[in-house]
Amino acid sequence: MRQSELFTKTQKFAPKDEVSKNAQLLIRAGFVHKEMAGVYAFLPLGWRVMNKIMTIIREEMNALGAQELYLTALQRKELWERTDRWDDAKVDVWFKTALKNGTELGLGFTHEEAMTAMVKPFVTSHRSLPFSAYQFQTKFRNETRAKSGIMRSREFIMKDLYSFSRDAAEHEKFYEKAQAAYERIFRRVGIGAQTYTTFASGGTFSKYSHEYQTVCDAGEDIIYVHEGKGIAVNEEVYTDEVLADLGLSRDELVQKKAAEVGNVFSLGTKFSDAYDLTYTDEQGEKRAVVMGSYGIGPARVMGVVTELFADERGLVWPHSIAPFTVHLINIGRDDDAAQLYADLTSAGVEVLWDDRDERPGVKFADADLIGCPYRVVVSDKAAAAGGVEVKQRTDETPVTRAPKDLVAYIKNSRTQT
Ligand code: ATP
Ligand code: MG
């Protein structure tokens, strides 16, 4: 894309009331727009990043055999009364509304209820099971704290997956496969090294749930990390009994701040009992379906990536989720730049070409702020040195390469994640 055609512009300053580093940088770079406290819109650059994250998640969900669907945000009160989650005293994040005739509705903050009720007519015998389904859907939560930018907002997209199994053993098998998919997702988006599978509180049906916690200063959770085993324990379940269960001793664990980027939860028959979601087994006996739920917040992932990798000059994107791979800058030599832009684009490299009539300093500062993995400079100086200048966002000094070698260089030289 030509930068002269991008309607967003970078800004020197973020809104005064914005306290989080991720939102400050993302607003300045033109990735997000702050609609109000805790409510953010995604602009073209930011939406490209979100889509890349969601594509990675979608690929891993499909590989699990999960089926994508789309439920509704508007929900009936009765749906939630069944599980005793309508009362504001029980759930303090509700946004509620009403029809013109006064009928109360809720804006879904999660979808266990809606999903369980929806699948009920399709589940009859043991032959209907197992299956799993997921969606990318907007959740509404009246969060009290909204100080973490896009990591905790009041309207956000969640990927939520639900599994339906015949018994605990079948559920356990899927749960482990889902855990492996989660590990792949966090590796692929570039935060694998900082993300720990973390034991957290379970529920009636399982002692623990698992969270995927990324160590970062902006996180709101405290976890205790075992570096050797690569696992962690959430503060909320950090007791001697847990340390014993997992075979960890307290003095091996290091306290860290972390952000929960995803979680996996065994629900047992809590929701199937509430909605009478049952099937007849091979002996003709009626049995309750065993469920699990699995969430990831793509915007929280994007916020965490920002917090982890940004430097004093701006954003730093991992290759896999960068809005563009190359930020092409030309100082004069418009025709050479146009040729290179065409060549890279036709080789499948995503290029943001700063074709604006701006000073080099302005272009360089914007490239650093926007944070694409490679900066390529076409200039008289680079031509005299035999080609174009290439620099990775995390490197200090550029190298010179012949334009024809650029695609191979980009494919082979990754030092960033
Ligand atoms: P937290 O304890 O941080 O509020 P949660 O336990 O409420 O998270 P879930 O309800 O299980 O989280 O949501 C699943 C995923 O959705 C989380 O792991 C996180 O990635 C994301 N998420 C949750 N709340 C928000 C929010 N307010 N803004 C953005 N993403 C969120
Ligand atoms: Mg929450």
Side-chain angles (χ1 to χ4, degrees), residues 316-330:
V316 176
W317 296 108
H319 286 69
S320 59
I321 64 167
F324 292 91
T325 306
V326 167
H327 205 144
L328 173 64
I329 290 176
N330 67 299

Side-chain angles (χ1 to χ4, degrees), residues 36-40 42 95 139-143 145-157 299-300:
M36 64 185 96
V39 182
Y40 299 89
F42 291 88
F95 278 110
K139 309 290 188 217
F140 296 89
R141 292 186 184 181
N142 204 343
E143 302 272 5
R145 294 171 297 170
K147 297 201 178 77
S148 300
I150 65 165
M151 291 167 64
R152 181 180 297 285
S153 55
R154 297 192 166 107
E155 173 183 334
F156 63 96
I157 295 174
R300 186 170 295 178

Side-chain angles (χ1 to χ4, degrees), residues 114-125 128 275-278:
M115 187 70 89
T116 312
M118 184 277 296
V119 303
K120 185 173 155 64
F122 301 109
V123 177
T124 49
S125 80
S128 322
Y275 292 93
D276 193 31
L277 177 66
T278 57

